[in-house]
Amino acid sequence: MDTVGWWSLVRFAHVTGAVLWVGGQLALSLVILPLARRLLDPGPKDRFTTAAGRRFGILTGTVFLPVQLATGWAMARHRGITWASLAEPGYGRTLAAKLALFAVVMLAAAGHGIAQSRGRPELARSLAVVSLVGSLGVVLLATALPTT
């Protein structure tokens, strides 16, 4: 595979991971959970939503996060990004903002899982909203970055 084809594949994996993450959040928040609340009795609803959230969390930790980190690091390295260049106007600062927001999103998502497991549904819901809105912000910042 030539260099252009390789980097196209790396970008494809990065974008696909982001699509699965954000799309999964939207599908759970806008379709699956509202239907579960409306159609299932409390016991089955709680078991279903817990299982769906756990499965999404496992997928995030074992597939999404490693792919995003590996491909993101590879693209940044390919572009010659250094810690110092993250402070430079344009690409560097936009990437720094994307990385910072991504860290906030991952912390909110982890906090959501912890709050949910400890029976704190209000906090869990708030953190889920922070994670979803932050994820959309990450995608918005990503659209401002030129391809590598």
Side-chain angles (χ1 to χ4, degrees):
M1 180 179 291
D2 67 351
T3 303
V4 173
W6 169 251
W7 289 109
S8 293
L9 182 61
V10 170
R11 275 192 308 279
F12 177 79
H14 195 76
V15 170
T16 300
V19 166
L20 290 172
W21 166 250
V22 177
Q25 286 182 36
L26 288 169
L28 283 169
S29 299
L30 300 176
V31 178
I32 296 167
L33 296 180
L35 283 173
R37 286 186 195 107
R38 193 170 68 222
L39 299 175
L40 300 174
D41 291 329
K45 174 199 62 92
D46 291 343
R47 286 190 302 277
F48 173 78
T49 56
T50 297
R54 187 171 287 127
R55 180 170 284 186
F56 192 70
I58 289 168
L59 181 66
T60 297
T62 60
V63 177
F64 165 73
L65 193 55
V67 168
Q68 291 310 104
L69 293 174
T71 57
W73 174 82
M75 289 187 301
R77 185 161 186 242
H78 176 69
R79 186 167 173 86
I81 299 296
T82 63
W83 288 110
S85 67
L86 292 175
E88 294 174 4
Y91 190 96
R93 286 188 190 158
T94 303
L95 180 58
K98 179 187 170 204
L99 294 171
L101 188 53
F102 181 76
V104 168
V105 164
M106 290 294 106
L107 289 172
H112 164 77
I114 293 167
Q116 191 68 30
S117 71
R118 293 189 178 164
R120 308 231 3 234
E122 297 83 17
L123 178 59
R125 185 170 289 172
S126 296
L127 290 169
V129 169
V130 168
S131 180
L132 177 57
V133 171
S135 294
L136 294 171
V138 169
V139 170
L140 179 64
L141 288 167
T143 63
L145 295 171
T147 59
T148 53

